[in-house]
């Protein structure tokens, strides 16, 4: 695996590979790699001639400077893991390489960014769209792989790809969970053993809510979710939403979406100082 830190070099390599007819698969990450990332990388290695991973803790998508400072950085371990999944190139730039000058670029994703992550993390999706656009320009992938754990991010990137005519296929993979249900996330590295156990309640409460969709109103499910998490005494709920699976707009009444047959249950909460998100797509015929 070749590690590249400069934009001009990754550009040259990717252009040469594309010209020689190679298909490029790409997984964008902020490092602290886990099985969720490895699943995307394995899929890319299987479906493309060349697999590129980027590791860049992107400062412009953090609305909380402390979160940026404490985001886990485990470069050596990440490189060792990448070698196990046949990754061909790691692009691991410094911030000065990416942001040569202050960017004033503003993206707007309309209603999609007015809810959940967009609402609670102002500027977050602008930062995501900025870096993802830059990475797509440098790497020019044929396929880009993202995880469903960041469901709203996938919807934003889908809108971005469409709006800016990026010539690539976006592929979304289901969330990978620990055996106890905890969704894999780089931020889990900041949890203590006890907090990891507590955090499994996020998955439990999503399952609980899924089981109540058919019989109960969204309002009462929201109340139950809040009460369940409050009872743990260690989880601070930021939001829980029942949302349309594509637009991610809140659903007030499950009957409204019967024709799409699916809803997304989305949650964000703090366990200690660590902010976690999770979601579940629920088929209303099974609920
Ligand atoms: O999901 C992430 O890790 C990041 O938001 C991404 C897509 C790598 C952009 O920085």
């Amino acid at each position: 695996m070749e590690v590249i830190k400069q934009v001009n070099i990754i550009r040259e390599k990717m252009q040469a590979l594309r010209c020689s007819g190679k298909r490029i698969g790409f997984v964008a990450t902020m490092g602290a790699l886990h099985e969720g990332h490895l699943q995307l990388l394995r899929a890319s290695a299987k479906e493309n001639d060349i697999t590129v991973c980027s590791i860049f803790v992107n400062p412009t998508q953090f609305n909380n400077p402390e979160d940026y400072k404490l985001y886990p950085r485990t470069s050596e371990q990440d490189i060792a893991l990448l070698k196990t999944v046949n990754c061909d190139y790691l692009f691991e730039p410094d911030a000065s390489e990416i942001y040569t000058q202050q960017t004033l670029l503003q993206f707007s994703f309309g209603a999609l960014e007015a809810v959940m992550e967009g609402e609670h993390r102002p500027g977050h999706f602008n930062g995501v769209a900025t870096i993802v656009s830059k990475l797509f320009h440098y790497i020019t992938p044929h396929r880009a792989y993202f995880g469903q754990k960041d469901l709203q991010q996938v919807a934003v990137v889908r809108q971005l790809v469409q709006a800016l005519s990026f010539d690539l296929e976006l592929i979304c993979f289901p969330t990978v969970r620990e055996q106890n249900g905890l969704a894999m996330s780089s931020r889990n590295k900041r949890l203590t053993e006890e907090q990891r156990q507590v955090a499994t309640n996020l998955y439990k409460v999503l399952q609980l809510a899924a089981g109540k969709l058919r019989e109960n109103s969204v309002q009462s499910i929201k109340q139950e979710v809040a009460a369940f998490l409050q009872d743990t005494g260690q989880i601070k709920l930021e939001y829980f939403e029942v949302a349309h699976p594509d637009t991610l707009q809140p659903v007030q009444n499950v009957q409204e979406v019967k024709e799409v047959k699916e809803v997304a249950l989305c949650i964000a909460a703090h366990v200690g100082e660590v902010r976690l998100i999770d979601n579940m797509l629920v088929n209303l015929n099974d609920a």
Side-chain angles (χ1 to χ4, degrees):
M1 183 180 72
E2 197 174 329
V3 181
I4 296 177
K5 294 201 169 268
Q6 279 112 343
V7 167
N8 60 341
I9 299 194
I10 193 85
R11 273 194 200 274
E12 271 169 29
K13 294 264 178 196
M14 295 301 121
Q15 271 167 21
L17 286 165
R18 261 209 168 229
C19 287
S20 66
K22 300 284 189 217
R23 309 276 307 169
I24 302 170
F26 174 50
V27 181
T29 83
M30 298 205 296
L33 300 181
H34 52 71
E35 187 51 37
H37 297 117
L38 299 183
Q39 186 196 58
L40 304 179
L41 286 154
R42 280 191 210 102
S44 171
K46 205 166 140 202
E47 294 167 5
N48 303 280
D49 302 312
I50 297 291
T51 290
V52 182
C53 177
S54 64
I55 294 183
F56 179 61
V57 185
N58 173 36
T60 64
Q61 71 186 72
F62 285 83
N63 57 315
N64 173 350
E66 197 61 10
D67 190 24
Y68 174 65
K69 207 172 89 193
L70 296 176
Y71 198 87
R73 288 155 170 94
T74 57
S75 183
E76 267 176 41
Q77 248 173 285
D78 290 347
I79 289 176
L81 283 173
L82 286 173
K83 289 182 181 163
T84 69
V85 289
N86 296 325
C87 182
D88 300 291
Y89 292 94
L90 167 61
F91 179 51
E92 197 185 22
D94 289 333
S96 57
E97 186 70 20
I98 301 291
Y99 295 110
T100 47
Q101 56 193 47
Q102 200 199 345
T103 168
L104 300 172
L105 191 63
Q106 288 294 322
F107 291 84
S108 170
F109 295 96
L112 183 55
E113 66 175 342
V115 294
M116 301 194 290
E117 293 303 282
E119 181 186 0
H120 289 265
R121 302 184 68 189
H124 170 63
F125 286 129
N126 200 61
V128 169
T130 305
I131 188 63
V132 169
S133 303
K134 282 174 178 272
L135 292 169
F136 283 171
H137 281 303
Y138 305 152
I139 289 155
T140 60
H142 294 84
R143 295 198 181 94
Y145 297 78
F146 287 82
Q148 186 202 307
K149 193 182 77 59
D150 296 295
L151 187 66
Q152 198 173 1
Q153 170 170 278
V154 175
V156 163
V157 173
R158 184 164 290 122
Q159 202 167 307
L160 179 78
V161 165
Q162 227 165 28
L164 294 184
S165 310
F166 281 109
D167 184 17
L168 58 85
E169 186 185 350
L170 196 66
I171 296 169
C172 178
F173 264 68
T175 304
V176 180
R177 299 183 181 278
E178 306 281 356
Q179 277 196 336
N180 60 17
L182 177 64
M184 290 199 185
S185 161
S186 303
R187 286 189 171 85
N188 292 354
K189 293 204 161 71
R190 291 182 53 204
L191 298 171
T192 63
E193 252 335 291
E194 192 202 341
Q195 287 173 329
R196 270 176 172 258
Q197 206 44 49
V198 170
T200 61
N201 284 299
L202 296 187
Y203 183 56
K204 287 190 191 134
V205 84
L206 287 177
Q207 286 179 308
L208 177 95
K212 293 187 178 273
L213 275 174
R214 196 193 278 270
E215 306 296 335
N216 300 66
S217 70
V218 168
Q219 196 48 39
S220 72
I221 295 173
K222 282 187 172 183
Q223 281 162 3
E224 280 199 53
V225 166
F228 179 98
L229 295 179
Q230 174 131 35
D231 282 353
T232 67
Q234 296 183 71
I235 300 183
K236 205 167 133 233
L237 178 64
E238 194 167 293
Y239 65 76
F240 166 78
E241 287 295 347
V242 180
H244 186 287
D246 304 321
T247 65
L248 294 174
Q249 296 310 292
V251 166
Q252 307 303 344
N253 176 354
V254 172
Q255 297 307 322
E256 277 172 34
V257 285
K258 274 280 184 201
E259 80 280 6
V260 292
K261 297 191 177 62
E262 206 177 44
V263 287
L265 305 182
C266 303
I267 194 162
H270 294 259
V271 177
E273 297 297 309
V274 185
R275 183 178 186 276
L276 299 172
I277 59 171
D278 199 351
N279 68 77
M280 188 185 277
L281 291 172
V282 184
N283 185 320
L284 294 172
N285 294 324
D286 304 338

